[in-house]
Amino acid sequence: MKTHITRSHLEEYEISLVNKIKSLYKQVSSDDSGKTEIQVVLDRGGCIVWMDIICSSGHKHLDEYAKKIIEDACPFKDFPENSLHHYLDIIITIIFKHKENHERNVS
């Protein structure tokens, strides 16, 4: 008897995706900040089938970097064995914050 994937298994899978993406994120050397939301569809093998920016940061270089981070993280691990899903549609949000320079020049 094959069981359906439970919500907790799906949540664990999504957490593993986010953690893999976070491990590849490097602070950008830009004064720009913003939030990029990307819709990603994965197949059972953890490969990207489709990806699109659904909410731009307002900065093309940040949006492109967000997509690159996700592409570089692929392939993700396979879906849990008991999953009946053939695809996973997920929205990934990447927030870019520039480092603030706390040093003051004193002359």
Side-chain angles (χ1 to χ4, degrees):
M1 173 186 231
K2 195 167 189 174
T3 58
H4 290 281
I5 186 169
T6 64
R7 183 68 190 152
S8 64
H9 285 119
L10 191 55
E11 288 171 356
E12 288 173 17
Y13 184 81
E14 290 176 1
I15 289 168
S16 74
L17 299 179
V18 170
N19 287 338
K20 189 168 184 185
I21 292 166
K22 280 183 179 179
S23 73
L24 296 174
Y25 175 82
K26 305 280 189 271
Q27 179 113 16
V28 291
S29 58
S30 168
D31 287 337
D32 298 326
S33 60
K35 176 174 77 170
T36 302
E37 291 183 357
I38 301 176
Q39 184 175 9
V40 180
V41 178
L42 301 174
D43 65 15
R44 290 185 63 79
C47 295
I48 296 173
V49 174
W50 183 82
M51 177 169 56
D52 194 28
I53 294 172
I54 58 172
C55 183
S56 172
S57 67
H59 305 283
K60 185 173 181 166
H61 66 283
L62 295 181
D63 295 342
E64 292 301 318
Y65 180 54
K67 286 173 64 176
K68 183 176 178 348
I69 294 169
I70 295 169
E71 289 168 348
D72 289 350
C74 282
F76 297 103
K77 67 182 185 177
D78 294 349
F79 289 4
E81 212 174 283
N82 60 347
S83 173
L84 298 178
H85 298 279
H86 294 287
Y87 299 99
L88 175 65
D89 188 341
I90 186 170
I91 295 174
I92 298 170
T93 302
I94 299 178
I95 299 171
F96 298 98
K97 294 181 181 179
H98 65 276
K99 284 186 175 179
E100 297 199 4
N101 186 355
H102 295 291
E103 296 178 10
R104 294 185 182 171
N105 291 329
V106 179
S107 44

